[in-house]
Amino acid sequence: MKKMMKVKRISLIVFILSFTITTSWAQETLSLSQVLEKAKLYNKTLKMSENEMAIASEKNKEVKSNLIPKIQASGDYKYFFDLPTQLMPAKAFNPMAPEWEFKPAQFGVPHNINASVQVMVPVYNPQLYGNIKTTKIAKELSALKYKKTKEQIFYDLSNLYYNAQIIKSQNKFIEGNIVNTEKLLKNLKLLHQYDMNKQSDVDKIDLQLQQLKTMRSKAKANFDQVLDAMKFYMGIALDTKIDVEETIDTSDNNYMYAKEGTLDFKMARTKSALIQSEISTLKRSRLPSLSLIGSYGTTGYGYDEKPHDFLDFYDISFVGAKLTVPIFNGTTTTHKIKQKQFELENSQMQQELVADKKAMEIKSATLQKAISKQNIENLKEQVALAQRIYDQTIVEQKQGTAGLADVIMADNTLRQAQQDYLQAEIDYLKADLELKKITGNIK
């Protein structure tokens, strides 16, 4: 009974371990949207861009905090081994003393204690208000840079995903061609046994089979490389087992994308606004600034020699206003303003260039997408036709009405049709992705 229980326990452990191993090596098939979502969560470049955006936000808050009243407390204690010495005119002690004669005198007591609290309230600071506006625009520019980074990552990752799908489709064609070639090679070997064909015929088809297997190995290696690149962009471990969906979506549901403002154009426009704000802030630096100040404190004086020792404190407080008026800084501000004006001119021309380039790229990508879509439909029919011709040629070859050269020609035609079809799909997917990018529709 104990032996049976032990066997059952071991069987259960083996089952659990086998299930765990199978699960750990399970391959997850991801859709494009799932791939992009993982990249959004784990991509390190995107995380760094998020941090840059947070830094810009904190910078804006830092500048705004200068509007809040500042309170500062200070205190110090000094013990004088030698009291400070001042030179007093000798006339203070002797009216008959000459003007040039002075007498040294020490003032104060050994113990000095000072403590105070100062308050400064900004009332009017035009440069500060300009800096607040500038950092706010810089914060918006940082958010656009984050979106630009995310758009580029999504664009590159989508490209890799489509490449993986194309390689997978290519491998599917290769597998089908290998099956057909193996059948043909088997028939030729059988015919050769009865001296109904030449050894060179068998060798030709055998060579084709080996070439197809080499193509399959290369396709597998390319597929693994593309998946590794996808994992890198997604920010996941390279040993993670993933796969892509087999079906390539070339539907035309959203043929015309809404022409949203591209990030390049928005960034150029925001950069112009940033430079304009910087120019305005530089001009405001010539204006006076006003702040209220106030202080309350106490000063203690002590003497430690018996019997006249004492420690007395005396209050000191004041309120006032501080006005700062810039008068002349050596034309530094003037030259800074001129530099920014040239930057602004370049930024405005950059906006025009982006707009012109966008119009040209939209026209080109739309045309390429339409041509590729039509090519896919035509070449899909050509692949089916080439497959029928190949199948019919094989039948005729078995019947003796077609030679090996006809079979090889039909096989080459089929392969070329398959390759052209895959190329058309590549062209379509790239044109569609490019059109999404330049119209601001990569989400």
Side-chain angles (χ1 to χ4, degrees):
M1 185 68 178
K2 288 183 178 179
K3 190 174 181 180
M4 288 181 65
M5 291 291 291
K6 187 175 181 181
V7 170
K8 287 182 179 179
R9 195 177 294 116
I10 292 172
S11 300
L12 180 62
I13 292 171
V14 170
F15 172 76
I16 292 172
L17 285 173
S18 64
F19 178 78
T20 304
I21 292 171
T22 303
T23 304
S24 65
W25 287 94
Q27 188 165 273
E28 184 181 9
T29 300
L30 301 173
S31 65
L32 178 57
S33 60
Q34 289 174 319
V35 166
L36 299 181
E37 190 61 33
K38 284 184 179 290
K40 187 178 178 182
L41 292 173
Y42 305 117
N43 183 274
K44 292 180 177 62
T45 303
L46 207 52
K47 291 292 181 185
M48 290 168 63
S49 186
E50 285 179 358
N51 289 340
E52 291 294 333
M53 189 166 55
I55 290 171
S57 178
E58 291 300 321
K59 184 67 176 176
N60 179 248
K61 292 176 183 177
E62 175 194 344
V63 176
K64 284 181 178 178
S65 68
N66 289 318
L67 292 173
I68 302 172
K70 301 296 185 290
I71 302 175
Q72 179 180 348
S74 61
D76 67 74
Y77 166 77
K78 296 175 184 176
Y79 178 80
F80 291 93
F81 292 100
D82 295 305
L83 291 172
T85 301
Q86 293 286 340
L87 292 179
M88 298 287 293
K91 281 183 173 293
F93 305 99
N94 181 8
M96 302 300 292
E99 294 287 342
W100 46 265
E101 188 175 337
F102 296 90
K103 294 235 181 237
Q106 288 183 307
F107 292 93
V109 290
H111 298 277
N112 282 257
I113 300 172
N114 293 287
S116 63
V117 176
Q118 295 91 30
V119 179
M120 187 176 73
V121 182
V123 177
Y124 177 71
N125 189 330
Q127 191 170 6
L128 176 58
Y129 296 130
N131 287 333
I132 291 173
K133 183 180 179 181
T134 299
T135 54
K136 181 182 178 183
I137 298 172
K139 176 183 171 184
E140 295 171 2
L141 184 59
S142 179
L144 289 173
K145 286 180 179 178
Y146 167 76
K147 290 180 180 179
K148 178 69 176 176
T149 301
K150 184 168 71 170
E151 181 186 79
Q152 188 60 47
I153 289 171
F154 281 13
Y155 177 83
D156 293 338
L157 197 47
S158 299
N159 229 332
L160 289 169
Y161 190 90
Y162 293 149
N163 284 338
Q165 285 187 307
I166 292 296
I167 294 172
K168 200 168 185 178
S169 297
Q170 183 185 30
N171 194 59
K172 188 176 179 181
F173 281 139
I174 292 172
E175 291 289 352
N177 292 335
I178 286 175
V179 171
N180 292 337
T181 305
E182 285 176 340
K183 289 179 181 178
L184 177 60
L185 182 61
K186 184 178 179 181
N187 292 334
L188 288 176
K189 285 181 177 180
L190 185 63
L191 292 172
H192 182 62
Q193 289 177 359
Y194 295 99
D195 296 327
M196 297 179 68
N197 62 9
K198 296 178 290 184
Q199 179 63 41
S200 60
D201 294 339
V202 177
D203 292 341
K204 288 177 183 177
I205 301 304
D206 191 20
L207 177 60
Q208 277 198 345
L209 180 60
Q210 298 308 316
Q211 289 174 338
L212 285 169
K213 289 182 178 179
T214 301
M215 289 173 62
R216 179 175 62 183
S217 298
K218 288 182 178 179
K220 175 65 170 60
N222 290 339
F223 185 72
D224 290 341
Q225 288 177 347
V226 172
L227 288 186
D228 284 345
M230 283 176 56
K231 293 172 194 174
F232 172 77
Y233 273 92
M234 291 162 65
I236 63 176
L238 291 179
D239 58 356
T240 307
K241 301 294 180 181
I242 64 170
D243 198 1
V244 298
E245 292 180 337
E246 189 170 322
T247 304
I248 300 175
D249 184 14
T250 56
S251 59
D252 243 352
N253 296 331
N254 297 312
Y255 183 77
M256 293 302 294
Y257 296 111
K259 295 180 182 179
E260 311 229 355
T262 61
L263 289 174
D264 286 334
F265 184 80
K266 289 178 180 177
M267 287 174 66
R269 185 175 58 194
T270 306
K271 189 174 180 181
S272 291
L274 179 64
I275 296 171
Q276 286 175 331
S277 178
E278 289 173 340
I279 292 173
S280 177
T281 302
L282 285 169
K283 290 179 178 179
R284 287 181 177 182
S285 68
R286 295 167 171 167
L287 300 176
S289 61
L290 177 66
S291 58
L292 299 178
I293 55 175
S295 177
Y296 175 80
T298 184
T299 301
Y301 297 106
Y303 184 73
D304 57 359
E305 296 293 333
K306 301 293 184 180
H308 303 293
D309 56 320
F310 65 87
L311 179 62
D312 295 333
F313 287 91
Y314 303 91
D315 293 340
I316 179 172
S317 60
F318 68 87
V319 292
K322 181 180 179 181
L323 179 66
T324 303
V325 182
I327 297 176
F328 182 68
N329 68 349
T331 70
T332 301
T333 302
T334 302
H335 293 303
K336 284 184 177 180
I337 291 173
K338 287 182 178 179
Q339 291 174 41
K340 290 297 176 181
Q341 286 172 340
F342 284 122
E343 288 182 25
L344 180 60
E345 186 178 345
N346 284 345
S347 181
Q348 290 170 343
M349 286 190 288
Q350 181 66 27
Q351 288 184 62
E352 295 174 4
L353 285 173
V354 169
D356 294 341
K357 184 181 177 183
K358 175 186 172 183
M360 178 189 68
E361 288 178 340
I362 288 177
K363 183 178 179 181
S364 176
T366 302
L367 179 61
Q368 182 62 41
K369 183 178 176 181
I371 293 172
S372 301
K373 181 64 178 177
Q374 186 60 47
N375 285 343
I376 288 175
E377 300 302 323
N378 295 338
L379 290 167
K380 190 174 183 180
E381 295 176 2
Q382 290 180 24
V383 170
L385 179 59
Q387 184 66 57
R388 289 198 300 271
I389 292 172
Y390 177 83
D391 294 340
Q392 183 60 36
T393 305
I394 291 295
V395 172
E396 291 173 356
Q397 191 265 341
K398 289 179 181 179
Q399 295 173 347
T401 57
L404 182 60
D406 298 321
V407 175
I408 293 175
M409 185 181 294
D411 180 68
N412 290 336
T413 303
L414 175 59
R415 287 197 214 179
Q416 187 60 49
Q418 292 169 346
Q419 188 61 38
D420 292 344
Y421 175 73
L422 289 175
Q423 187 60 50
E425 286 196 321
I426 292 172
D427 292 341
Y428 175 83
L429 293 172
K430 286 186 175 180
D432 181 65
L433 189 59
E434 188 66 26
L435 192 57
K436 283 181 181 177
K437 183 179 179 181
I438 58 182
T439 55
N441 282 279
I442 292 184
K443 305 297 184 183

